[in-house]
Amino acid sequence: MTPQQFFLILRARYKIAIITLLVTTAAAVAVTLWLPKQYTANAAVVLDVKSPDPVSGQMLSGMIAPSYMATQIDIINSQRVAQRVTKLLPKGQGTWIRSQWLEDTEGKGDFDLWLTNLLQTNLNAKPARDSNVINIGYTGADADFAAAAANAFSQAYLDINVDLKLAPARQYAAFFDEQTKQTRERLEKAQQALSTYQQQNGIVSADEKLDYETAKLNDTSSQLTVIQGQTTDSESKRKNSKADTVAEVMQSPLINGLKADIARLDAKLQDSNVILGKNHPQTQRTEAELAMLRTQLDAETRKITSSIDTTYQVSKQREQQLQSALATQKARVLVLNKQRDELNILRHDIETAQRAYEALSQRASQSDVESQNGQTNISVLNAALPPTRASKPRTALNIVLSIFVGSLLGVGLAVALELLNRRVRSTYDLVEALNLPVLGSIASASTMIKRSGPGKFAALTSNGART
């Protein structure tokens, strides 16, 4: 269909299009006037996403996420908030609401469920563009009820938001409180185990006692080393076949004095033998003194060698005693080391339990404060006021839409009727119908009258008749 054909069809059937447009517009106006008036009240709440948490002092990064605002919208539209609104609505609205319920349901079904669904249906919550403000709108047949419902939704949203915040905090508080009690019991058991172990082993201060016993072990070890040296020295002296070469003998003043006296008497005896002769009483007396000195020297030497042997025996016995004492002391130190290790384990258990108890106690205190914190990051920015003008129906918009729709329907109806009863309205229609070329066309009489005038057209007609 060419544009010329389309306009020819509209010119031919313009009455149908106009009638359709008028009927559609009139119907839209009638329906608009018949529909009850609806009033929309709007409240606004603002979300603070930049301030830190008042308890922990930390920024909640999740509030800045794009999904945070969508989550808040879902909370506002939730059934839980709507149920909360039913409890916050003014009592004076009950009669009007119940009458509407009776009208809609004839008294069948649950009233609270119906009211909740009604509130959710007429609610419109949407975030403001590029801001943290949420607009809460409610549309109803009564302006006062619409305002009350919008304010109730904003207050219910605040209350539910606090409940959603406190519910996990209370769970955390109960959990950490229980964990704190269990950790405290473990700490008390660890302390009791340490105390019992100290009482059973008679330990007052393990470190001091271990230091004392270790010093005692070191002293015993030093004494044993000294005694072993003395024993070795005494043994080497005992095994020496020449007693006069022993250091004690060589260093003895008595023996050295006796040796000097023997040497002097020996020289005197030699002189007496030469001068007086061997049988001289003086020579014999000198020999007797010399023999007595040598006997005394031997006796003193034997005393020293005997004392060396005695010293060896004593040192050997002392060495055995010190070895036994050293072994006993080593065993005692090992026992003390084991006790200290066990004490360290018990103390470590106490320290671990203490740290866990302190951490859980601190977290439990914080959770307890959080569970009692009724503050929220949401506040009412604007309260809803009863609207003075109805928001629905929109008369001007409906009329404009009815004109547009009526025009489309009229044009469509005209075209449809033309397609059902096709007429020849132009050369294009004739060509399409006969599939033959057009050699010429005769204008209509009205066109000729318009071009030649009425008088000239009459003369031509009379001449044509006479001819």
Side-chain angles (χ1 to χ4, degrees):
M1 182 180 295
T2 62
Q4 183 182 3
Q5 291 176 314
F6 179 72
F7 285 114
L8 289 175
I9 294 171
L10 290 181
R11 188 178 68 177
R13 300 182 182 274
Y14 72 93
K15 294 181 180 180
I16 295 175
I18 292 175
I19 292 173
T20 303
L21 172 62
L22 294 176
V23 171
T24 303
T25 304
V29 172
V31 171
T32 301
L33 296 177
W34 175 77
L35 289 175
K37 292 184 178 181
Q38 299 287 324
Y39 297 89
T40 301
N42 293 287
V45 294
V46 61
L47 283 71
D48 184 9
V49 298
K50 295 183 178 180
S51 299
D53 185 83
V55 178
S56 62
Q58 297 179 353
M59 286 291 297
L60 300 180
S61 57
M63 290 185 178
I64 309 176
S67 60
Y68 178 72
M69 294 297 291
T71 302
Q72 301 307 308
I73 297 297
D74 291 338
I75 293 175
I76 296 174
N77 292 320
S78 66
Q79 188 176 12
R80 184 175 178 181
V81 172
Q83 291 174 350
R84 178 68 176 172
V85 171
T86 59
K87 300 178 181 179
L88 295 176
L89 287 174
K91 300 299 182 182
Q93 302 290 343
T95 304
W96 175 82
I97 295 174
R98 188 165 292 276
S99 62
Q100 185 176 354
W101 171 65
L102 292 174
E103 181 181 351
D104 292 344
T105 63
E106 298 180 356
K108 298 179 181 179
D110 184 64
F111 173 76
D112 293 334
L113 181 60
W114 172 86
L115 180 58
T116 301
N117 294 331
L118 176 66
L119 292 172
Q120 287 182 291
T121 303
N122 297 331
L123 175 67
N124 181 23
K126 58 183 179 180
R129 179 175 296 181
D130 299 330
S131 71
N132 297 322
V133 176
I134 297 179
N135 295 315
I136 301 175
Y138 186 84
T139 302
D142 184 76
D144 294 332
F145 179 76
N151 291 326
F153 265 104
S154 62
Q155 184 60 44
Y157 169 53
L158 266 66
D159 296 342
I160 297 301
N161 188 275
V162 172
D163 292 341
L164 293 176
K165 178 182 177 182
L166 293 183
R170 292 190 181 102
Q171 294 177 358
Y172 291 148
F175 170 76
F176 283 114
D177 184 64
E178 182 64 25
Q179 293 298 316
T180 301
K181 292 179 180 178
Q182 296 179 2
T183 307
R184 183 174 181 178
E185 292 177 358
R186 288 197 294 268
L187 177 59
E188 292 176 352
K189 289 180 180 179
Q191 292 174 342
Q192 184 64 33
L194 176 61
S195 177
T196 302
Y197 185 82
Q198 288 178 332
Q199 292 177 2
Q200 290 176 350
N201 294 274
I203 299 173
V204 178
S205 177
D207 293 334
E208 293 180 0
K209 188 173 182 180
L210 180 60
D211 293 339
Y212 171 76
E213 296 296 339
T214 302
K216 188 176 179 180
L217 176 64
N218 294 332
D219 182 63
T220 304
S221 179
S222 300
Q223 293 180 17
L224 178 59
T225 302
V226 173
I227 292 299
Q228 286 177 341
Q230 293 178 359
T231 304
T232 302
D233 183 63
S234 300
E235 186 177 9
S236 63
K237 291 177 180 179
R238 286 180 63 226
K239 293 181 179 180
N240 192 356
S241 58
K242 295 182 179 180
D244 54 349
T245 59
V246 178
E248 282 79 357
V249 175
M250 296 178 65
Q251 295 174 0
S252 176
L254 178 58
I255 291 178
N256 290 331
L258 290 175
K259 286 182 177 180
D261 291 341
I262 290 173
R264 179 177 55 78
L265 287 177
D266 189 36
K268 183 177 178 181
L269 179 59
Q270 290 179 1
D271 292 340
S272 178
N273 286 332
V274 173
I275 298 173
L276 299 176
K278 295 183 180 181
N279 296 323
H280 193 276
Q282 187 176 355
T283 300
Q284 293 179 353
R285 187 171 56 254
T286 301
E287 289 179 352
E289 291 177 0
L290 183 60
M292 184 181 63
L293 289 175
R294 285 176 176 171
T295 302
Q296 188 177 359
L297 177 61
D298 292 338
E300 292 297 331
T301 302
R302 285 193 300 270
K303 286 181 181 180
I304 291 176
T305 55
S306 177
S307 65
I308 291 174
D309 184 67
T310 303
T311 301
Y312 170 75
Q313 297 295 335
V314 172
S315 299
K316 195 68 176 177
Q317 184 178 3
R318 180 59 178 168
E319 180 183 353
Q320 294 175 355
Q321 293 176 352
L322 289 175
Q323 287 178 346
S324 177
L326 182 64
T328 303
Q329 191 64 22
K330 283 183 179 179
R332 185 170 183 80
V333 171
L334 290 175
V335 171
L336 290 176
N337 281 329
K338 183 178 179 181
Q339 291 178 352
R340 185 183 64 176
D341 293 339
E342 293 178 354
L343 284 174
N344 289 334
I345 293 175
L346 294 174
R347 289 172 180 172
H348 183 265
D349 293 341
I350 292 176
E351 293 174 357
T352 303
Q354 182 70 32
R355 288 193 296 268
Y357 174 73
E358 291 175 355
L360 288 173
S361 179
Q362 182 179 1
R363 190 66 183 90
S365 300
Q366 182 177 352
S367 299
D368 183 64
V369 174
E370 291 176 354
S371 65
Q372 299 178 10
N373 180 23
Q375 302 297 323
T376 179
N377 64 321
I378 304 170
S379 57
V380 178
L381 182 62
N382 294 320
L385 298 176
T388 57
R389 299 177 60 182
S391 60
K392 294 178 182 180
R394 299 179 182 179
T395 305
L397 179 61
N398 291 344
I399 292 175
V400 172
L401 290 177
S402 66
I403 293 174
F404 177 74
V405 173
S407 299
L408 292 179
L409 290 176
V411 172
L413 182 60
V415 173
L417 292 175
E418 183 68 21
L419 293 177
L420 293 175
N421 186 15
R422 192 66 183 272
R423 301 289 182 90
V424 177
R425 302 186 185 280
S426 66
T427 56
Y428 297 104
D429 296 334
L430 189 61
V431 170
E432 290 180 358
L434 301 178
N435 197 17
L436 294 173
V438 178
L439 298 178
S441 61
I442 300 175
S444 63
S446 60
T447 304
M448 294 177 65
I449 292 172
K450 289 179 180 178
R451 292 180 179 179
S452 302
K456 188 176 181 181
F457 180 74
L460 291 173
T461 305
S462 62
N463 291 334
R466 289 195 297 270
T467 304

